[in-house]
Amino acid sequence: MTTTTRLTVAQATVRFLAHQFVERDGVRTKLFAGALGIFGHGNVAGLGQALLQDELEALEAGRKPGLPYVLGRNEQAMVHTAVAYARAKDRLQAWAVTASVGPGSTNMLTGAALATINRLPVLLLPADTFATRSAGPLLQELERPDSGDVTVNDAFRPLSRYFDRVWRPEQLPGALLGAMRVLTDPAETGAVTVCFPQDVQAEAHDFDDDLFAERTWHIGRPLPEKAALARAVEVIRSAKAPLIVAGGGVHHSRAQEALRALAEATGIPVGQSQAGKGALPFDHPQSVGAIGSTGTTAANALARDADVVIGVGTRFQDFTTASRTAFADPGVRFVTLNVASLDAVKHSAVAVVADAREGLEALAEALEGYDVGEAHRARTAQLKAAWDATVASVYARDSGDLDVQPDQNRVLGAVNELSDPRDVVVCAAGSMPGDLHKLWQVRDAKGYHVEYGYSCMGYEVAGGIGVAMAAQDDVRRGAQPRDVFVLVGDGSYLMMATELVTAVQEGVKIIVVLVQNHGYASIGSLSESLGSQRFGTRYRARTSSGRLDGDLLPVDLAANAASLGVHVVRTSTRKELEAAILDAKASPTSTVIHVETDPFVDAPSSTSWWEVPVSEVSTLESTQRARVVYEEHKARQRTYLKPSETN
């Protein structure tokens, strides 16, 4: 006989989410770490009440809440925190994020796009207008003359891997089960959105108790199809100068050791995308570091001459391919191993649709006896040594540097050298992601966390909190602790600094290195290269001429950070910066280290390109010159349409 429990839709949702588990490789884990939320009139009486009830019932019973609640300060930032946590957990755990109707929910749109682009799971629970329409039009309701059932939350549809709206309590089980299927699917995962009309959240229904039974979602490791593997092996065995491009899928699959084994057995060098950086430690003989527009000279030299490019867990973003100019061999062919067919077929590749770890192990077995040869190994070592020397020169610490203002390269060097191998660097936008991609020397597979799928300004502090929360959880499970270094420029900091309050509230320690360069240094440099003369990129006062070319703005970001409750250290020299880093590591609480840098000192060139269009006609000489350079690069762009399979 079926038994039921009378609950509101919101209470049933919280109870259901608390009983979801995932399993991979025999390890079972609770799927949801908790719920991040900001309450307004659209969700306070529904999901807010349900989360409160869950918390109080847990306290009374002497247990932890089924879905612990964390109060955020900005809805977009809450999604960033959730996404960063999921990435740090290799997509095996996630957060739910709830927001009120109208702007509270649409504030999450940017986070939804970021999650889906980066293939990272997050459950979004935006409040919606009344299903009954009993009091419409409501506060914050969008009225359209052509449709009565469209709300602002329909904007989530193209940004979500799964979208549903619960108009009636009877629809809840199907919506939740559909959401879980996508969240736990390695090939399909991303933002999952289930909209809850505010009246439906509070509506009661007799729910089947079977809905609330513990449910385990098994995350499989799809094996490569034998014929596809054979086609891939045939192409790789023909290669004289192959190159592996490791992407984020290597980390999600925990395939680092399988990649290492294949690289060591064959001698194939490994370049890494932003998401894939750290797939091999920086000092591994086959690790040639970052590839593409922000790559190392070593990886890019090997890419130019590669006759076979083996993509593993990468989606071949334009920065990775240098806008389709990185792989210049006229007959270059591609083999791509990816759990998602969408990514596996790019660049006319021989596609191997499989889990990264399983696929790499199968390739290693099938390639037994294959070796790139001593000449290719020697060239890899030579190029790698030259780049390592370049990094050493820009990181250089000597007595003459200690009492002067550091440039950004030396800021990165100080953090890299004084952080522990297990520590994590977090970044997302501006000039630092590119500099980190080239220069940061990763020693631990979890040590590099740069969001460069969406490169979202404002991600850094919120994302750093998510990474730190994941690290705290790992410590509770017996792991060694990690410090989380958030590197952020003044432009990105000003977008979303308020989550520092959340770090203080939750007792989550992050170390924020706030680089003050008085403007958008990255876009300023790009603007100059495109002939736009850094227009609109500097934080200056407007003068009587009408232009933003006056004095620097009297903005005190250190004082701002201190007002949010964190410890702040002002530094102006390399010596002060180093002392602040060591003190911050020793502290149990969050620290913001404020450092002024010279924005006109660039990182070493990657000798590569990134396509940003330049005005085809202009009266400005600077733009005309930039257009000439653009057309020279454009002429080297490839289509990669020729099939890689041997027919």
Side-chain angles (χ1 to χ4, degrees):
M1 180 178 177
T2 300
T3 60
T4 62
T5 301
R6 191 162 183 80
L7 299 167
T8 68
V9 168
Q11 292 162 1
T13 298
V14 170
R15 185 172 295 189
F16 173 88
L17 297 179
H19 289 88
Q20 304 307 300
F21 292 79
V22 295
E23 176 275 326
R24 188 173 73 174
D25 300 334
V27 178
R28 186 171 181 262
T29 310
K30 193 172 183 180
L31 174 56
F32 289 101
L36 290 144
I38 295 176
F39 298 130
H41 72 274
N43 64 344
V44 65
L47 285 164
Q49 187 279 337
L51 288 165
L52 168 65
Q53 183 170 306
D54 177 56
E55 184 175 294
L56 293 179
E57 288 177 352
L59 286 172
E60 186 176 346
R63 58 174 173 80
K64 293 182 179 179
L67 204 64
Y69 169 70
V70 172
L71 167 64
R73 267 73 201 170
N74 178 285
E75 293 88 354
Q76 177 183 322
M78 292 191 302
V79 184
H80 294 335
T81 296
V83 168
Y85 183 96
R87 175 173 165 179
K89 288 290 191 174
D90 297 323
R91 308 194 297 190
L92 297 175
Q93 286 186 275
W95 282 76
V97 186
T98 178
S100 188
V101 68
S105 288
T106 55
N107 277 352
M108 298 196 294
L109 288 168
T110 296
L114 182 145
T116 296
I117 285 171
N118 285 288
R119 320 290 209 264
L120 294 167
V122 62
L123 176 61
L124 305 179
L125 305 175
D128 221 322
T129 53
F130 280 26
T132 61
R133 306 183 190 175
S134 61
L138 304 177
L139 175 67
Q140 300 173 327
E141 179 177 354
L142 173 71
E143 289 188 275
R144 292 172 55 94
D146 61 333
S147 176
D149 66 345
V150 172
T151 78
V152 294
N153 286 351
D154 284 273
F156 283 98
R157 289 183 184 272
L159 305 178
S160 303
R161 295 297 293 163
Y162 178 87
F163 177 93
D164 204 349
R165 182 180 277 116
V166 181
W167 292 112
R168 294 290 307 140
E170 294 88 347
Q171 298 170 344
L172 182 66
L176 292 177
L177 291 169
M180 296 308 107
R181 176 188 63 81
V182 175
L183 284 169
T184 58
D185 186 326
E188 295 294 327
T189 196
V192 167
T193 302
V194 181
C195 304
F196 284 90
Q198 52 194 295
D199 53 345
V200 174
Q201 288 183 49
E203 186 174 347
H205 180 73
D206 294 319
F207 288 98
D208 189 328
D209 287 338
D210 288 342
L211 178 64
F212 310 118
E214 286 193 359
R215 198 177 303 267
T216 302
W217 300 85
H218 300 280
I219 299 181
R221 292 187 177 275
L223 299 174
E225 191 263 328
K226 289 182 179 179
L229 184 67
R231 291 190 292 270
V233 168
E234 180 184 6
V235 173
I236 296 170
R237 282 190 177 276
S238 72
K240 305 299 182 186
L243 174 69
I244 292 172
V245 177
V250 175
H251 292 298
H252 300 328
S253 178
R254 296 180 182 170
Q256 298 91 346
E257 287 305 313
L259 176 64
R260 179 198 293 261
L262 177 65
E264 290 175 353
T266 62
I268 302 175
V270 179
Q272 295 136 57
S273 71
Q274 278 280 13
K277 191 171 170 74
L280 288 182
F282 85 96
D283 55 356
H284 188 279
Q286 268 67 55
S287 178
V288 291
I291 192 167
S293 299
T294 53
T296 71
T297 53
N300 285 340
L302 291 165
R304 279 192 295 274
D305 297 334
D307 55 354
V308 173
V309 177
I310 307 162
V312 183
T314 178
R315 57 192 189 93
F316 282 118
Q317 183 214 34
D318 65 339
F319 262 77
T320 304
T321 68
S323 298
R324 300 195 178 197
T325 63
F327 311 114
D329 184 275
V332 64
R333 295 192 287 169
F334 294 83
V335 171
T336 302
L337 166 62
N338 203 296
V339 74
S341 60
L342 169 67
D343 297 315
V345 300
K346 291 174 180 174
H347 302 327
S348 304
V350 173
V352 181
V353 179
D355 171 74
R357 193 184 75 183
E358 294 290 343
L360 286 167
E361 290 177 350
L363 280 174
E365 182 178 354
L367 288 168
E368 185 176 359
Y370 171 78
D371 193 280
V372 298
E374 285 305 315
H376 199 49
R377 285 180 181 266
R379 184 171 186 238
T380 298
Q382 181 183 30
L383 291 167
K384 176 179 172 58
W387 180 255
D388 288 345
T390 298
V391 175
S393 69
V394 297
Y395 273 9
R397 182 189 190 278
D398 57 55
S399 57
D401 282 333
L402 296 183
D403 295 315
V404 299
Q405 182 186 64
D407 58 50
Q408 186 162 284
N409 297 327
R410 284 172 166 75
V411 170
L412 302 189
V415 178
N416 204 170
E417 292 166 359
L418 294 176
S419 59
D420 292 334
R422 282 181 52 81
D423 292 346
V424 188
V425 62
V426 177
C427 194
S431 59
M432 277 191 287
D435 294 353
L436 286 165
H437 195 209
K438 295 175 188 176
L439 301 175
W440 191 265
Q441 296 180 324
V442 181
R443 298 155 287 176
D444 182 276
K446 292 288 187 185
Y448 188 84
H449 185 115
V450 174
E451 189 285 299
Y452 218 60
Y454 209 40
S455 186
C456 186
M457 295 182 73
Y459 176 90
E460 291 89 348
V461 172
I465 291 171
V467 175
M469 291 168 72
Q472 281 185 341
D473 182 66
D474 290 342
V475 169
R476 287 191 287 269
R477 297 166 188 249
Q480 293 299 308
R482 304 175 187 269
D483 276 324
V484 176
F485 284 86
V486 174
L487 298 187
V488 61
D490 52 333
S492 200
Y493 173 86
L494 283 168
M495 292 275 184
M496 209 167 290
T498 50
E499 292 310 300
L500 288 171
V501 179
T502 305
V504 174
Q505 166 191 287
E506 297 297 321
V508 174
K509 177 190 173 183
I510 57 174
I511 302 170
V512 180
V513 180
L514 172 54
V515 174
Q516 170 63 279
N517 49 38
H518 303 285
Y520 302 124
S522 172
I523 297 303
S525 177
L526 177 64
S527 171
E528 189 169 51
S529 72
L530 301 177
S532 297
Q533 303 175 14
R534 295 183 181 260
F535 176 69
T537 64
R538 290 173 288 191
Y539 290 169
R540 302 274 181 168
R542 193 173 297 280
T543 62
S544 58
S545 69
R547 304 202 69 203
L548 295 174
D549 59 357
D551 294 336
L552 294 174
L553 298 179
V555 177
D556 190 339
L557 297 184
N560 170 265
S563 75
L564 299 177
V566 296
H567 178 58
V568 176
V569 181
R570 298 175 187 264
T571 69
S572 58
T573 67
R574 171 90 178 234
K575 182 187 294 183
E576 292 172 349
L577 173 63
E578 290 181 355
I581 291 169
L582 294 174
D583 287 345
K585 279 191 62 61
S587 172
T589 60
S590 293
T591 301
V592 171
I593 302 171
H594 181 278
V595 55
E596 294 254 359
T597 64
D598 183 346
F600 298 105
V601 178
D602 294 327
S605 173
S606 67
T607 66
S608 196
W609 184 55
W610 179 46
E611 182 177 13
V612 178
V614 179
S615 296
E616 192 168 359
V617 295
S618 175
T619 59
L620 301 179
E621 186 179 343
S622 59
T623 306
Q624 294 167 6
R625 290 195 302 268
R627 179 70 191 189
V628 172
V629 175
Y630 171 77
E631 290 176 349
E632 290 173 354
H633 284 290
K634 188 73 174 172
R636 295 195 289 270
Q637 200 168 46
R638 304 281 299 279
T639 62
Y640 302 132
L641 292 175
K642 183 179 179 180
S644 294
E645 182 180 345
T646 302
N647 293 310

